[in-house]
Every structure is written in C-alpha cells, then in structure tokens.
Amino acid sequence: MLHCGPFRLKLSLRPHIMGIINLTPDSFSDGGLIKNPVSAFQRAATMLKQGADILDVGAESTRPGALPISVAEEKRRLLPALKRLARLPIPISVDTSKPEVAAAALEAGAGMINDITGLKDPAMLRLAARRRVPVVIMHMRGAPRSMQRAPRYGNVVSKVRHELLAAARRAQSAGVKREKIILDPGIGFGKTPVHNFLLLRELRQLANTGYPILVGPSRKSFLTAILGPLPPRERIWGTAAAVTLAVAHGARIIRVHDVSEMRMAAQVAHAIQHVKIPSRRENAKCPRK
Ligand code: HH2
C-alpha cells in the first residue's frame, strides 16, 4: 500500500496508470501543448476521467540534449498549475530533480517525488525522508544533455538492477522508509534501443527485488528502432505493446501520455495474467460455439 498524501494506492492489486502532465515548452512529444494552469487542469481532469491513478507533473524537459533550467523558472512554470491540480481527487507526483522545486511542490499539494536522477542530491534525500512521501528512484546514465552519447554497459539488466538497489539502500540509510521507494529502469535515459528492449524483456529481474517497479516507455524514440521514423504521437500502438509486456513482467506503475489507451492495454494484460482457471463444473456451464 502506497500512502500518497490523503490517497492510498494498492499497487499489488493491479497496474496503476500515471498520466504525464508536461508544463514545458520543449518536451519531446507534447511540449508547448499546455499553455496555462487552466489548460493543465482540463488535461488533468480528462486524464482522471480516462482512468489515471496518479498525475506526474513536470516543468523541465529531460529529452536527450535538453539544457537544464533554473529553480526560479521551474517553479514559475510548475506551481500555479500544481496548486489547481491539487484540487482534483488524485495523487500528484512532481517530476523534478531539484530539492527546492520538490519542496515547494509538496507545499503546493504534491504527494510524491519522481526524481530522474535517482535521489543523487543529498538535499533531495533529506527532503524525501523528512516529508515521508513516496519517491521514484529512476536509473539514468549521465545527464539529459549528454546521456545518449554512446551509452555502454556490460550486462545492462544486472548493472541497472545493481545501481538501483544501491540508490535504494542509500535512500534508506538517509531515512527514507523502504515502503516509500519505487524503482524505475529509466527507459531512454542513457540507453540504446537494445538496452531498452532488454530492460523491458527482463523486467522481472527488477520486479523480484521486491520494490514496486515504474516504467515509462511512452512514445519514446527507442520504438522507432522497430517502427521506423514515426513522430511521437504516432507511437501509441508501439507504446501499448511495451506497456503490455511491462505489465506482464511485473510493472506496477506505467507512466504514459495516452491514459485511456494504456489503461486498457494494462488492464487486459493484467487480467490475462491473473485469470482464474475455472473448475470443471464452471466449464460445463460455458456456452459452446
Ligand atoms: N521519462 C521522462 C520524464 N520523466 N520519469 C520517470 N520516473 N520515468 C521515465 O521514464 C521518465 C520520467 C521523459 O518523458 P516526457 O516527460 O514525456 O518528456 P520530457 O522529459 O521531454 O518532458
């Protein structure tokens, strides 16, 4: 059970959908779409209706090559919208790696921290421990500006697993409770398409750490290694395939742009995986073709 402010998420029951709200002018797939707090609220309300379980609100793009923005600029983009979104009956996660921004977002109503740098900043660790909020520890090699320059691993799955577990241990030593930690292999962050495929195929190896696993394959460019040069908004079916596989391999939270479609994909994958084998008597009642 994940306590997220006044909300309780039973992650073990079914996969949960995290809807992405990007308040950025330059995100790789939907930059500039949300222009003000009112349109952010409308987008969030739509996602809620479509079945989102969490909203992940970010104000700084982390696409490959993106340059960092200042704390002041990130707060200026984030806080007015976040205050409005906090009125909705859904937990809000803040997608930031800056402790000052995360602290302000928690004050404004966020109940969870999603840190793509895996809580590297000690001040972020201290904040997460003090505020007792759930935290997503994501794996990344390098920084967005340079992460896609020839990333190399030996065995990518065991390396990522090892580094995530080390980050989780560091967080726990700093006072973050184990049950607040969610791990994420960081699809597309310092990884080639093959690295991403392997991480999705072997996701069970991360899920068997016992920590809930979040994955974010939504519309990402690794899909074009198979599908060809499609623009991000045409990668929905490819995303659905990745989501289905991730759920089948134990992902508990799926971070996506297309809530309605991915909720259905996740729901079906989960239902097939957990189907109860009917008894003989129930079978006999089944209509035959
Ligand atoms: N991916 C993105 C941003 N934040 N957080 C987690 N935990 N996992 C992810 O895979 C992840 C993330 C990148 O996607 P998006 O927010 O759509 O793009 P941009 O960073 O360009 O705003």
Side-chain angles (χ1 to χ4, degrees):
M1 176 89 81
L2 199 67
H3 291 238
C4 218
F7 305 97
R8 308 272 175 277
L9 300 176
K10 273 197 171 170
L11 294 186
S12 57
L13 226 54
R14 59 172 175 84
H16 283 59
I17 302 295
M18 175 184 255
I20 303 170
I21 305 272
N22 279 327
L23 306 169
T24 49
D26 56 343
S27 282
F28 79 95
S29 91
D30 57 358
L33 269 190
I34 293 177
K35 304 221 181 299
N36 53 49
V38 174
S39 57
F41 186 85
Q42 284 162 350
R43 181 100 187 95
T46 302
M47 285 184 167
L48 179 62
K49 237 188 263 164
Q50 292 174 334
D53 299 290
I54 309 169
L55 297 176
D56 189 39
V57 188
E60 177 177 44
S61 174
T62 54
R63 80 195 139 72
L67 295 176
I69 59 170
S70 69
V71 168
E73 175 61 10
E74 199 172 330
K75 281 191 191 172
R76 190 190 64 74
R77 291 181 189 173
L78 184 71
L79 296 178
L82 203 138
K83 282 180 190 152
R84 265 179 193 255
L85 300 193
R87 296 181 203 155
L88 289 166
I90 184 168
I92 293 181
S93 144
V94 58
D95 184 355
T96 186
S97 44
K98 299 189 186 75
E100 301 91 329
V101 175
L106 295 179
E107 284 303 318
M112 177 169 173
I113 300 172
N114 173 23
D115 182 0
I116 61 154
T117 65
L119 302 183
K120 280 220 172 73
D121 187 329
M124 190 69 115
L125 274 178
R126 286 195 297 274
L127 176 72
R130 196 173 68 247
R131 296 297 307 261
R132 300 182 183 174
V133 287
V135 284
V136 180
I137 296 181
M138 197 197 80
H139 181 275
M140 172 165 58
R141 263 290 161 83
R145 194 175 181 174
S146 57
M147 65 191 178
Q148 289 307 102
R149 285 186 209 141
R152 271 191 212 170
Y153 299 83
N155 177 333
V156 67
V157 178
S158 58
K159 197 86 189 154
V160 167
R161 186 181 195 275
H162 177 80
E163 290 178 15
L164 281 175
L165 284 176
R169 271 196 302 275
R170 209 175 46 243
Q172 284 168 244
S173 316
V176 178
K177 293 267 183 287
R178 193 185 198 286
E179 64 270 18
K180 298 286 180 194
I181 296 176
I182 297 156
L183 301 182
D184 177 350
I187 299 296
F189 285 86
K191 282 134 197 142
T192 63
V194 170
H195 293 145
N196 295 310
F197 300 149
L198 289 171
L199 284 165
L200 286 168
R201 194 184 75 186
E202 306 299 327
L203 200 69
R204 193 51 75 188
Q205 291 190 43
L206 297 185
N208 72 15
T209 57
Y211 292 96
I213 302 299
L214 181 151
V215 282
S218 190
R219 300 183 182 180
K220 286 187 178 164
S221 68
F222 76 103
L223 298 166
T224 65
I226 301 168
L227 303 175
L230 289 175
R233 267 180 234 171
E234 290 173 31
R235 300 174 193 162
I236 297 183
W237 293 105
T239 302
V243 165
T244 305
L245 203 77
V247 168
H249 291 175
R252 290 281 154 213
I253 305 178
I254 309 289
R255 182 182 182 276
V256 293
H257 301 89
D258 307 288
V259 167
S260 180
E261 293 87 342
M262 300 315 146
R263 185 184 56 75
M264 287 191 245
Q267 233 175 348
V268 172
H270 183 257
I272 292 173
Q273 221 188 358
H274 292 85
V275 66
K276 288 203 183 71
I277 298 171
S279 66
R280 273 201 194 171
R281 191 180 302 162
E282 281 167 333
N283 255 341
K285 277 192 241 156
C286 254
R288 284 177 196 277
K289 267 194 178 170

